[in-house]
Amino acid sequence: MTEELLAHQRISPATATTWARWGATVAVLTAALLAMLGSFASAHVRSTEGTSQIRQDGSTVRYELSVEYDLLAAAAGLGSPDAAEGLQRLLERQHDRLASYLTERVTVSVDGVQCEAELVGTGVEDRQGLRYAHSSLVYSCPGSPSGAFTVRYGVFSETDAVVDDQINVADYQLGGSTGTFVFDTAHHEFEAGKTGFFSAVARFAVMGGEHILAGIDHILFLVTLLLGARDWRSVVRLASAFTVAHSVTLGLGALGWVAVPSAIVEPLIALSIVYVAVENIIGGESRHRTFVVFGFGLLHGLGFASALSFTDGLSGRLLGALLSFNVGIELGQLLIVVVLFPVLLFIRRYQWSAYWHTAAAAVAGAFGLVWFFQRFLA
């Protein structure tokens, strides 16, 4: 692509040399800056996701909570297991401390009266290469079983200072109502029956949009694709391949039907940026790029799935949540494309565009390479 643009613009050797130097300088400086920012982000930004399954049986409510083990141990002050004991044994030894932490932060009320809580069981499970603590809480509730149930969730609050951002997808059956609610840093409470279908759909769509717009690696991958795209037809073809692929693995991963450890997925996502960036530098869009993008889309879909998981089986409600989450991702992706690609087309009108194209691809590749080593060595 670089040679084609040079021939088309017919720039002078002196001008080419000047812009080449500027482009190389900017590429190196920007890559260094991004590397430092990447190191800073990986050291200080921490997000997590968990699940809650809430079921009522008469005056009893059973709450199955699943969150990251290490974060729960730090927040509840459980300490580290002794040399001779495992993680499960530590949970059992620290049962009272864990019960105090959870029953204070996860409460169920009916008609304004708080239910009596008890931690009846704990366990350890592996999910996508991470250790999760599973806690079974039982609530004895006064009043009518068909009353108004309110659930408050305060695990990993700001005062715990163990995580920067979190979501916990709660599937509930309370007071004759069923639904799904997403706890996060801004939403800590819901009343059963008051979380309508459309509000849940909107919430999952917002989550999807936030996930891709906050995921710098996903954005950078799209940017590298747009750098090498020839025209709008090419953009539509590549975006469609990426969308279909990540939609498949998003659904399979969120449902738990496909589980690949994040220690494998995240470094490969970083390498996908490097691959497309290098391809942009040496030749632009190849004949096989659509298939390559489809393969990388499968990886990115597994990355998207890390932000979403469900405790119940396949149902219309679950499919609606998955669809709306994916719609949010697509809207975020569309926003990036319609804002950035016209700018790239405009830049290509100028003589220096070939060098800035190479510099931008080099920066993206450098950033992806830094991420790869960070994630591989983590």
Side-chain angles (χ1 to χ4, degrees):
M1 172 174 283
T2 301
E3 290 77 6
E4 294 175 357
L5 288 170
L6 285 173
H8 176 71
Q9 299 293 343
R10 299 182 182 179
I11 62 178
S12 66
T15 303
T17 301
T18 300
W19 282 110
R21 290 174 179 172
W22 275 105
T25 302
V26 171
V28 172
L29 292 177
T30 307
L33 176 61
L34 290 177
M36 289 187 292
L37 290 176
S39 300
F40 180 83
S42 64
H44 295 280
V45 176
R46 182 70 166 90
S47 62
T48 185
E49 63 92 18
T51 58
S52 297
Q53 185 183 71
I54 311 169
R55 297 291 185 267
Q56 176 197 359
D57 182 12
S59 60
T60 300
V61 173
R62 191 173 188 92
Y63 195 123
E64 305 291 343
L65 174 66
S66 182
V67 295
E68 280 193 56
Y69 181 96
D70 292 339
L71 295 178
L72 181 62
L78 303 184
S80 302
D82 297 333
E85 70 177 350
L87 301 180
Q88 177 63 45
R89 180 72 183 104
L90 174 63
L91 291 178
E92 295 171 356
R93 178 166 59 85
Q94 295 282 32
H95 179 275
D96 291 344
R97 183 184 293 271
L98 180 60
S100 175
Y101 176 83
L102 290 178
T103 55
E104 288 178 2
R105 288 163 175 78
V106 182
T107 64
V108 178
S109 303
V110 57
D111 294 328
V113 180
Q114 187 167 315
C115 306
E116 183 179 350
E118 179 184 4
L119 177 64
V120 297
T122 57
V124 181
E125 57 189 6
D126 183 82
R127 287 172 47 185
Q128 297 183 340
L130 293 175
R131 297 174 301 187
Y132 272 70
H134 183 89
S135 305
S136 298
L137 296 156
V138 171
Y139 298 83
S140 300
C141 300
S144 170
S146 59
F149 283 84
T150 300
V151 178
R152 294 182 178 88
Y153 181 88
V155 176
F156 305 153
S157 64
E158 292 183 1
T159 57
D160 293 329
V162 297
V163 69
D164 299 291
D165 190 25
Q166 69 157 322
I167 64 169
N168 189 288
V169 181
D171 174 72
Y172 68 86
Q173 295 178 5
L174 293 169
S177 300
T178 62
T180 302
F181 186 83
V182 181
F183 295 113
D184 59 22
T185 52
H187 302 82
H188 304 282
E189 177 182 322
F190 74 87
E191 183 177 340
K194 295 296 181 67
T195 57
F197 173 79
F198 291 105
S199 63
V201 166
R203 181 73 189 99
F204 278 104
V206 170
M207 281 176 55
E210 290 175 343
H211 188 67
I212 190 169
L213 294 177
I216 303 177
D217 51 357
H218 302 303
I219 292 177
L220 202 56
F221 180 76
L222 287 175
V223 170
T224 55
L225 288 182
L226 295 177
L227 282 173
R230 291 188 295 266
D231 49 33
W232 280 107
R233 181 180 299 179
S234 174
V235 170
V236 171
R237 183 177 69 254
L238 295 175
S240 298
F242 183 67
T243 296
V244 171
H246 76 63
S247 297
V248 170
T249 47
L250 167 62
L252 295 176
L255 292 170
W257 295 350
V258 172
V260 181
S262 59
I264 296 176
V265 172
E266 295 302 324
L268 290 178
I269 288 177
L271 279 185
S272 72
I273 300 170
V274 177
Y275 179 91
V276 178
V278 171
E279 191 179 56
N280 285 345
I281 295 172
I282 64 177
E285 184 178 347
S286 68
R287 294 181 303 169
H288 308 294
R289 174 167 284 196
T290 302
F291 299 102
V292 172
V293 169
F294 183 86
F296 287 146
L298 297 176
L299 284 173
H300 284 256
L302 292 173
F304 294 146
S306 66
L308 193 68
S309 59
F310 297 92
T311 58
D312 58 343
L314 189 63
S315 65
R317 181 159 47 87
L318 183 149
L319 290 176
L322 267 176
L323 179 61
S324 57
F325 184 81
N326 201 39
V327 167
I329 291 176
E330 303 317 321
L331 291 175
Q333 178 178 295
L334 180 62
L335 177 63
I336 296 169
V337 171
V338 299
V339 169
L340 182 59
F341 195 61
V343 175
L344 294 177
L345 290 178
F346 177 78
I347 290 175
R348 289 177 187 177
R349 299 167 54 187
Y350 295 92
Q351 295 179 349
W352 44 264
S353 61
Y355 295 102
W356 284 95
H357 169 274
T358 301
V363 169
F367 203 7
L369 199 60
V370 169
W371 263 339
F372 169 74
F373 284 110
Q374 284 182 338
R375 297 171 180 183
F376 182 75
L377 298 175

